[in-house]
Amino acid sequence: MENIEKLQEIIDNSNNIVFFGGAGVSTESGIPDFRSVDGLYNLKYKYPPEQIISHTFFQYKPEEFYKFYKDKMMCLDAKPNKAHTFLAKLEEKGKLSAVVTQNIDGLHQAGGSHTVYELHGSIHRNYCTKCGGIIKPDVVLYEEGLDDETVTNAINAISNCDTLIIAGTSLVVYPAASFIRYFKGNHLVLINLSETSADKMADLVIHGKVGEVLSQIKI
Ligand code: CNA
């Protein structure tokens, strides 16, 4: 409760908030994350998920890749949750300048957010790898680089914000996790179920569910 009040005060006094999130933002929409106990990394597959969602695996075993991808990553029926709608409202009120997300599910846009930098792409876009070649989802696989323009926009947003809210991410996937180092504003807030390496840097750490936490804030 004391933490919620502190978060309310920080949000009330901020006019340029950036939200940096990960898979934990969508677990309340029913999409499993990668590293929690019931996340994707604890499921049993013929190959470890890290291997399946790599560029090499996609090239050499596209059918196996697509089996896993369609089954576990293309969550087209998921609906935005309280975290997504809260952030959209915060943007509408002119208090949030950008959402920087590692998620590929498109739920921030579905929830009404406009400025969303998708560091790892989106399941909602696909492209042909060469004319008449295999279709690849526009998601960043292991061994692949991030889109330059998206990275520049994300870093600019983080560098210029007054408050950075980091939520629902284990902060272990690089380079995405390193972008939070560009923050030089007033308040760093961390909302995550489990501890992260950035807890010690934050002004406020809330170990809880991001949707539940944010929906208690009045805007
Ligand atoms: P991760 O490594 O799975 O970490 C998720 C973190 O969120 C963990 O620390 C959890 O404790 C925490 N968490 C889970 N649920 C909640 C909740 N309701 N509230 C607060 N915290 C919660 O995921 P990261 O995003 O850090 O890892 C990066 C990968 C995961 C990116 O490449 C993503 O593309 C990829 N991913 C995306 C999705 C998606 O688009 N929804 C789903 C699964 C994985």
Side-chain angles (χ1 to χ4, degrees):
M1 197 60 205
E2 195 187 304
N3 277 345
I4 299 293
E5 279 167 17
K6 195 164 174 207
L7 180 59
Q8 180 76 58
E9 196 185 317
I10 291 174
I11 290 179
D12 285 346
N13 294 321
S14 304
N15 292 306
N16 183 353
I17 300 169
V18 167
F19 181 90
F20 179 93
V25 176
S26 293
T27 53
E28 287 163 87
S29 293
I31 304 179
D33 63 11
F34 274 0
R35 288 177 186 81
S36 297
V37 187
D38 54 353
L40 286 178
Y41 276 78
N42 288 289
L43 295 172
K44 296 279 169 282
Y45 272 88
K46 215 160 131 194
Y47 303 90
E50 299 98 319
Q51 193 180 336
I52 301 177
I53 53 175
S54 68
H55 186 81
T56 310
F57 197 91
F58 173 77
Q59 267 188 318
Y60 293 102
K61 294 187 187 295
E63 281 177 20
E64 295 255 12
F65 169 88
Y66 267 115
K67 217 164 84 190
F68 178 87
Y69 178 77
K70 285 185 181 166
D71 197 24
K72 295 290 163 202
M73 297 173 76
M74 256 180 77
C75 303
L76 296 175
D77 295 333
K79 301 271 179 295
N81 63 47
K82 290 173 183 168
H84 300 106
T85 51
F86 173 86
L87 294 167
K89 208 163 136 196
L90 208 58
E91 182 183 39
E92 191 189 303
K93 298 268 175 196
K95 289 176 80 69
L96 179 134
S97 53
V99 169
V100 178
T101 184
Q102 299 165 83
N103 292 348
I104 55 173
D105 54 35
L107 288 184
H108 285 291
Q109 292 92 331
S113 285
H114 295 283
T115 305
V116 183
Y117 301 127
E118 297 173 306
L119 295 174
H120 294 158
S122 171
I123 58 166
H124 298 287
R125 295 186 298 268
N126 298 280
Y127 63 92
C128 178
T129 49
K130 66 170 192 275
C131 201
I134 189 163
I135 301 292
K136 184 180 176 294
D138 190 11
V139 300
V140 179
L141 303 176
Y142 284 102
E143 306 160 355
E144 293 177 345
L146 275 52
D147 175 67
D148 283 344
E149 195 183 328
T150 310
V151 169
T152 304
N153 287 334
I155 290 177
N156 278 343
I158 293 169
S159 309
N160 293 317
C161 69
D162 56 11
T163 293
L164 180 64
I165 303 176
I166 301 171
T169 172
S170 57
L171 293 174
V172 298
V173 174
Y174 281 77
S178 68
F179 300 156
I180 64 167
R181 293 199 201 123
Y182 288 90
F183 175 65
K184 49 182 190 300
N186 300 326
H187 297 289
L188 181 63
V189 176
L190 226 142
I191 309 168
N192 207 59
L193 274 183
S194 50
E195 269 180 42
T196 74
S197 57
D199 284 17
K200 51 187 177 303
M201 290 152 48
D203 301 60
L204 175 61
V205 178
I206 303 180
H207 287 145
K209 291 191 174 178
V210 57
E212 278 177 15
V213 169
L214 291 180
S215 60
Q216 294 177 63
I217 302 299
K218 295 176 196 67
I219 40 170

